[in-house]
Amino acid sequence: MGEPGAVLQPVIENKSPKRKGRYTKHFWGYMFLLPAVVIFILFLWVPIAKGALYSFYSIDFVKGNTFVGLDNYVRVFHDPDVWTAVKNTLYYMLLTMIMGFWVPIVASIAISELRRFQGIARIAAYLPFVVPGVVLYGMWRWMYDPVGPINGLLSSLGVDPVSFISDSKWSMIAIVFMETWQQFGSAMLIYLAGVLSIPRDWYEAAEIDGAGVWNRIRYITLPSLRSLIVLMLILQVIGTSQSYQSQLALLDGGPNNATMTYSLLIVRYAFTRLDYGTATALGMLMFVVLSLVGLLQYKLNKEEY
């Protein structure tokens, strides 16, 4: 029998070049990936880390920052505007689910069933998404005006004019309707890509077996889109929870704070009240909640990863 070292030495020598070759093989891949990772860290995780730190400070650009501990968080939980904003945000999210979430799904399925002019239908559905914000808000303020075209149509049907902008009962509904019209086209293209990726053999087999359109949608299309629908639902929850642009530009949070969302309140704390510490605390609370939503999405779609 030889010495143990004589047996182990060739094994060690054989493993080392393989490991070295593996790193050398992917070296340029890591190099191309490095700038994206650096940018991701600098512009995402560094601001998050600084936000977590600054949420414990009173920010003053003249006198300097002062450590205040949990005072910012205490102020948040004792501010009635915060609970109003949370309630409005949840109401806004619920309206988007009821009024808007199903629209791109229906549109994508309807367009996929077209035998002719499918390309024209895609373009027509996507066009509202490219309307500039200034044009969008100006156009819809005119349409929601008491003497605008929508109220003109209602009057022709014998319905009393509706104060979409000045009535707190209708203001949030008006915003959701406007955003659904503008944004459903982008989500529709994502759903349409999912529908078109379903093997056509499944539909042909269903047609041979006598399945109609509704049965094909119920038993083939919707089950095949389940994971995508769950993902888009989570993304919509995250997106709507951060919404403030429409509420700010169209109604400035009014009337009577009826459209003041959580993100809009953060903007007011930071740039109107100049209370950056409390605004950062509000942002960190949102970060924690949205992180939990992201974990929920991962759990629901765990088998896809």
Side-chain angles (χ1 to χ4, degrees):
M1 292 181 63
E3 296 182 359
V7 178
L8 294 176
Q9 189 66 26
V11 177
I12 296 174
E13 290 178 354
N14 290 336
K15 283 186 177 181
S16 180
K18 289 183 179 179
R19 189 177 297 124
K20 182 179 179 181
R22 182 172 59 190
Y23 290 121
T24 304
K25 178 181 178 181
H26 300 292
F27 174 77
W28 287 111
Y30 294 135
M31 289 297 100
F32 281 111
L33 187 62
L34 183 61
V37 172
V38 171
I39 292 174
F40 188 78
I41 293 174
L42 287 178
F43 293 98
L44 183 65
W45 286 108
V46 170
I48 290 175
K50 287 188 175 181
L53 177 64
Y54 290 157
S55 66
F56 299 104
Y57 282 81
S58 174
I59 309 299
D60 191 323
F61 296 117
V62 178
K63 298 179 180 179
N65 302 336
T66 304
F67 181 78
V68 294
L70 297 175
D71 287 356
N72 291 328
Y73 291 93
V74 173
R75 186 178 299 110
V76 165
F77 287 107
H78 285 83
D79 186 354
D81 287 344
V82 173
W83 300 109
T84 300
V86 170
K87 182 186 69 174
N88 290 340
T89 302
L90 293 176
Y91 178 55
Y92 171 73
M93 293 165 66
L94 177 63
L95 285 178
T96 58
M97 298 299 170
I98 296 174
M99 297 176 57
F101 181 72
W102 55 272
V103 174
I105 301 176
V106 173
S108 63
I109 295 174
I111 291 176
S112 68
E113 292 290 335
L114 292 178
R115 303 303 180 188
R116 301 177 61 185
F117 306 112
Q118 191 177 115
I120 296 176
R122 294 183 193 179
I123 295 173
Y126 188 74
L127 276 179
F129 185 72
V130 301
V131 176
V134 175
V135 177
L136 176 74
Y137 302 129
M139 179 182 70
W140 279 94
R141 284 189 69 90
W142 167 70
M143 294 183 69
Y144 284 143
D145 194 87
V147 293
I150 295 180
N151 276 311
L153 176 62
L154 294 177
S155 298
S156 65
L157 297 175
V159 180
D160 294 334
V162 178
S163 301
F164 291 103
I165 294 180
S166 59
D167 191 344
S168 57
K169 296 180 181 179
W170 289 97
S171 53
M172 192 69 82
I173 296 175
I175 289 176
V176 173
F177 187 82
M178 176 193 69
E179 290 188 338
T180 300
W181 174 83
Q182 185 206 19
Q183 299 181 8
F184 87 95
S186 60
M188 181 272 300
L189 291 181
I190 298 175
Y191 283 117
L192 185 60
V195 172
L196 297 179
S197 67
I198 301 173
R200 305 309 301 175
D201 297 345
W202 297 0
Y203 291 103
E204 294 173 0
E207 290 178 1
I208 293 174
D209 291 339
V213 174
W214 298 114
N215 285 329
R216 295 200 303 270
I217 294 173
R218 178 181 178 184
Y219 294 106
I220 298 177
T221 306
L222 292 179
S224 300
L225 294 178
R226 186 190 68 84
S227 298
L228 180 59
I229 291 174
V230 172
L231 175 61
M232 294 296 289
L233 176 63
I234 299 299
L235 291 178
Q236 178 163 319
V237 169
I238 294 174
T240 53
S241 66
Q242 299 174 335
S243 177
Y244 77 94
Q245 180 175 315
S246 299
Q247 290 80 3
L248 175 63
L250 194 65
L251 296 171
D252 195 21
N256 298 322
N257 289 335
T259 59
M260 183 180 65
T261 57
Y262 191 86
S263 294
L264 180 55
L265 182 62
I266 295 177
V267 173
R268 285 187 175 180
Y269 258 106
F271 302 108
T272 302
R273 305 180 188 181
L274 300 180
D275 189 349
Y276 299 103
T278 305
T280 307
L282 285 166
M284 291 309 302
L285 292 174
M286 174 181 282
F287 170 74
V288 171
V289 173
L290 295 184
S291 298
L292 295 176
V293 173
L295 290 175
L296 175 63
Q297 185 268 334
Y298 175 78
K299 290 293 183 181
L300 292 176
N301 276 5
K302 190 174 181 179
E303 66 276 4
E304 299 294 330
Y305 297 101

